[in-house]
Amino acid sequence: DQQVKQNSPSLSVQEGRISILNCDYTNSMFDYFLWYKKYPAEGPTFLISISSIKDKNEDGRFTVFLNKSAKHLSLHIVPSQPGDSAVYFCAPNNDMRFGAGTRLTVKP
Amino acid sequence: GAVVSQHPSWVICKSGTSVKIECRSLDFQATTMFWYRQFPKQSLMLMATSNEGSKATYEQGVEKDKFLINHASLTLSTLTVTSAHPEDSSFYICSARDLDVTGELFFGEGSRLTVL
């Protein structure tokens, strides 16, 4: 069984600064790890993923890092914008259970 | 891109009645769909995996007789909350995976259920 943990329930950053969201997992058997973004009263939407054979994937302001030895991922958003304020979930491609999520607030 | 649609987006019902929520994959076929419930303070809980043409697989602690799931076609799964009670009030979200898109889940817009 996979267990995904997002140990920071919330994060607040100033607009323009970097946001770093973290995710830890227990089971290394996955092909991709994915990040989703969720606004209130909406379903989550896919944000960015990383292959298990990579250690970094970058897409515009979003970069995800994978540290397989530590079983740890981090999502970096830079520069952060107020519109990034949302709840962020991480999940592997082979397990539909999500971590508790991290609520990001970007202050103007 | 792949689209998943839920209906209704919100529903209010009286205690004791049953409510059906539909989840449709609009431009792809989904042999498997997933139902989630969002609890206060953000956590998204997987309730069950809906399998086309067979019984749903429920997560531990989820009452299968309370939350009936039917996946009669490759584009439609339904969740019926039977004999609803106020504690069933929640935000229910479905998702599906387009196998042509690597690993990504596509989520519906969610359905807000309020049981009076």
Side-chain angles (χ1 to χ4, degrees):
Chain A
D1 267 359
Q2 178 66 271
Q3 280 195 335
V4 172
K5 289 189 178 178
Q6 293 177 257
N7 292 317
S8 298
S10 63
L11 174 69
S12 181
V13 301
Q14 205 66 36
E15 181 178 8
R17 307 294 290 269
I18 185 170
S19 297
I20 301 177
L21 298 99
N22 296 303
C23 177
D24 295 300
Y25 60 91
T26 56
N27 188 335
S28 299
M29 299 298 292
F30 61 89
D31 297 317
Y32 287 84
F33 232 98
L34 303 104
W35 284 91
Y36 295 86
K37 177 179 178 180
K38 185 183 183 303
Y39 292 115
E42 294 183 11
T45 56
F46 170 73
L47 183 60
I48 190 170
S49 65
I50 187 164
S51 166
S52 61
I53 61 172
K54 305 261 185 182
D55 54 19
K56 177 183 176 181
N57 185 30
E58 188 173 352
D59 183 3
R61 297 186 296 114
F62 303 91
T63 303
V64 57
F65 296 92
L66 173 61
N67 182 332
K68 288 185 281 290
S69 61
K71 296 186 179 180
H72 177 81
L73 297 101
S74 61
L75 172 67
H76 293 211
I77 306 173
V78 56
S80 302
Q81 299 173 355
D84 297 328
S85 297
V87 178
Y88 291 78
F89 295 95
C90 62
N93 68 299
N94 57 358
D95 193 329
M96 303 306 119
R97 300 175 191 87
F98 287 79
T102 298
R103 180 179 297 280
L104 173 66
T105 303
V106 180
K107 297 179 179 177
Chain B
V3 176
V4 173
S5 180
Q6 271 182 254
H7 177 81
S9 55
W10 59 271
V11 58
I12 302 172
C13 70
K14 291 182 179 179
S15 186
T17 60
S18 295
V19 174
K20 181 185 286 187
I21 302 170
E22 294 185 344
C23 178
R24 294 181 186 274
S25 56
L26 298 185
D27 52 0
F28 67 99
Q29 294 183 329
T31 56
T32 306
M33 291 184 175
F34 307 94
W35 286 96
Y36 294 84
R37 179 174 178 177
Q38 184 175 23
F39 288 96
K41 298 191 177 179
Q42 82 213 20
S43 66
L44 206 60
M45 185 194 81
L46 176 66
M47 298 174 65
T49 301
S50 172
N51 305 298
E52 188 269 335
S54 66
K55 291 183 180 180
T57 306
Y58 289 82
E59 294 296 298
Q60 191 172 10
V62 178
E63 298 176 62
K64 59 182 180 181
D65 295 329
K66 160 68 94 175
F67 300 101
L68 298 180
I69 291 172
N70 183 274
H71 195 151
S73 78
L74 287 170
T75 59
L76 174 64
S77 174
T78 60
L79 168 68
T80 301
V81 183
T82 62
S83 187
H85 288 98
E87 58 265 30
D88 299 324
S89 299
S90 193
F91 192 60
Y92 294 88
I93 307 172
C94 71
S95 72
R97 174 178 289 160
D98 182 350
L99 294 180
D100 291 336
V101 180
T102 307
E104 179 182 343
L105 280 175
F106 295 93
F107 287 84
E109 311 94 326
S111 299
R112 168 72 62 188
L113 170 63
T114 301
V115 184
L116 302 176

